[in-house]
Amino acid sequence: AEPHDYYPPLENMLFGMGNPLLDISAVVDKDFLDKFGLKPNDQILAEDRHKALFEEIVKRNKVEYHAGGSTQNSVKIAQWMLQKPHKVATFFGCIGKDRFGEILKKKAEEAHVDAHYYEQNEEPTGTCAACITGDNRSLVANLAAANCYKKEKHLDLDSNWELVKKAKVYYIAGFFLTVSPESILKVARHASDKNKIFCMNLSAPFISQFFKEPLMEVMPYVDILFGNETEAATFAKELGFETDDIAEIAKKTQNLPKENTKRQRVVVFTQGKDDTVATVGDRVTMFPVLDIDQNDIVDTNGAGDAFVGGFLSALVQEHALEECIRAGHYAANVIIRRVGCTFPEKPDYH
């Protein structure tokens, strides 16, 4: 598309599916991290030994609750960047019939996201403890209800599948591979068959390490793959790329087998304050991020999700890759100045 072409986004044009979580975020100290065996900057799934962490973090003096979940954050930010029309973004995921679930529904509505949750009462709504130290964040996700998403109970229902079919761009974080790979594959195959755009995220080192099989089953359908430098390095190691050069990793990832040959795969790796690396056609290009004073960084939690959200907002308008990355950098720059994945009323982006 020429730069002057403008494609106004339509309702339900962007589809996301993932783990809807309520973020419980607090500033902690190194002792707290050590007590629960956490790395300062990581994402993990909660185990039994983390039970006490959730009880302890809510007692911290400055605890904040925010709607979270990686994919849900990204589609919300895409919607925020677009502003109008409302409900460009659709979101599917599973919650419990409880207070936290009600909060997530209310927050999705306030963000003008068309959220259709599968609600069940076996498990409570999932939570994610965000343990903040300086500009690091260690995330511990207790999926609970989020883990109960069922393809046949929700995705396959005609009224829900109609919403999937309406979309032109699909985004699912790698985190959802631990929950319902069959749901991901159904959506990914639909996108591929209809020559629509399917995007995925490496999400966390543990996905490439322990969920490599479902990840590689979806990979042939992935048109755009996101990840950060740590995730890229882990992915490369798991696939035996034998290189730690991020541009080289991007290139090798781009060249992995692909189902829909009409679209060349795009690989986008962010590296915090360092340049974002992306495959542009057959080349690998570096895109510098926006400058920010270290003192203005409040909390990097949600920066990756925000980058994807900004990127998707430009993608649904059929903007060029460079423009999508610029929008991603803008959104991430806004989010790191605030606690959690939260944003001001309107973007100031042109």
Side-chain angles (χ1 to χ4, degrees):
E2 290 301 314
H4 57 257
D5 288 353
Y6 177 67
Y7 296 89
L10 306 169
E11 275 193 14
N12 306 113
M13 199 178 222
L14 171 64
F15 175 84
M17 178 167 63
N19 300 330
L21 305 173
L22 190 76
D23 284 350
I24 305 169
S25 136
V27 173
V28 301
D29 49 24
K30 193 179 175 309
D31 290 344
F32 184 91
L33 296 180
D34 293 344
K35 179 174 178 179
F36 296 105
L38 303 177
K39 295 177 187 158
N41 218 16
D42 202 7
Q43 308 99 313
I44 61 167
L45 292 176
E47 295 165 33
D48 282 345
R49 66 195 176 105
H50 299 115
K51 283 271 191 287
L53 183 152
F54 286 86
E55 292 161 16
E56 236 176 88
I57 198 162
V58 295
K59 294 188 187 128
R60 296 257 148 182
N61 49 6
K62 272 193 187 155
V63 61
E64 298 205 14
Y65 293 86
H66 296 285
S70 184
T71 306
Q72 186 168 240
N73 283 342
S74 293
V75 300
K76 254 183 207 170
I77 290 203
Q79 179 66 55
W80 170 73
M81 287 282 287
L82 292 163
Q83 291 286 305
K84 292 249 166 358
H86 291 166
K87 299 189 172 182
V88 171
T90 314
F91 180 75
F92 287 5
C94 182
I95 58 175
K97 295 182 177 173
D98 50 27
R99 191 170 67 90
F100 283 178
E102 289 305 315
I103 293 174
L104 288 185
K105 284 199 275 192
K106 187 166 137 292
K107 293 288 184 193
E109 207 174 315
E110 285 169 6
H112 307 298
V113 168
D114 195 11
H116 294 255
Y117 296 114
Y118 169 47
E119 298 180 45
Q120 47 73 60
N121 36 29
E122 305 286 298
E123 287 281 341
T125 297
T127 49
C128 177
C131 311
I132 315 288
T133 52
D135 59 9
N136 285 325
R137 48 97 188 108
S138 198
L139 307 177
V140 184
N142 180 25
L143 297 185
N147 204 27
C148 300
Y149 190 84
K150 299 276 182 290
K151 175 176 165 289
E152 56 286 353
K153 293 264 179 71
H154 194 263
L155 185 68
D156 292 344
L157 303 184
D158 288 344
S159 59
N160 290 333
W161 188 248
E162 281 306 315
L163 288 168
V164 176
K165 293 199 311 205
K166 267 179 91 172
K168 295 273 191 290
V169 175
Y170 301 84
Y171 174 65
I172 302 177
F175 288 126
F176 203 57
L177 287 163
T178 77
V179 174
S180 185
E182 55 286 350
S183 296
I184 301 177
L185 276 167
K186 182 177 182 179
V187 171
R189 289 192 176 115
H190 166 78
S192 181
D193 293 346
K194 299 282 188 269
N195 193 30
K196 300 198 266 190
I197 303 174
F198 183 81
C199 313
M200 198 152 189
N201 202 314
L202 292 175
S203 290
F206 82 84
I207 298 292
S208 296
Q209 289 168 315
F210 307 114
F211 295 88
K212 183 167 104 182
E213 207 174 313
L215 174 63
M216 295 319 290
E217 208 180 330
V218 181
M219 198 58 73
Y221 302 101
V222 177
D223 296 300
I224 304 178
L225 182 71
F226 298 101
N228 68 22
E229 72 278 43
T230 323
E231 293 148 12
T234 307
F235 181 70
K237 204 163 115 201
E238 289 299 324
L239 264 70
F241 284 173
E242 297 188 337
T243 177
D244 45 22
D245 179 290
I246 192 141
E248 192 68 16
I249 295 171
K251 194 78 208 122
K252 287 187 185 246
T253 305
Q254 179 184 40
N255 292 331
L256 290 169
K258 191 160 188 311
E259 200 63 37
N260 175 11
T261 50
K262 293 194 202 78
R263 293 183 187 276
Q264 187 179 27
R265 182 180 292 119
V266 173
V267 179
V268 184
F269 291 144
T270 56
Q271 313 188 77
K273 62 183 186 318
D274 295 326
D275 292 3
T276 294
V277 179
T279 58
V280 183
D282 294 328
R283 311 244 316 273
V284 176
T285 311
M286 305 298 218
F287 297 89
V289 302
L290 293 163
D291 278 335
I292 184 166
D293 187 326
Q294 203 55 30
N295 300 322
D296 291 334
I297 301 178
V298 171
D299 156 13
T300 54
N301 186 21
D305 297 339
F307 173 81
V308 173
F311 187 104
L312 295 171
S313 71
L315 187 65
V316 297
Q317 299 176 82
E318 303 189 24
H319 290 326
L321 179 67
E322 292 75 354
E323 183 49 39
C324 295
I325 290 172
R326 198 170 78 85
H329 285 164
Y330 169 79
N333 184 273
V334 170
I335 263 65
I336 57 181
R337 298 166 188 269
R338 307 165 63 92
V339 173
C341 198
T342 61
F343 34 84
E345 194 196 340
K346 284 197 160 88
D348 176 23
Y349 180 73
H350 309 288

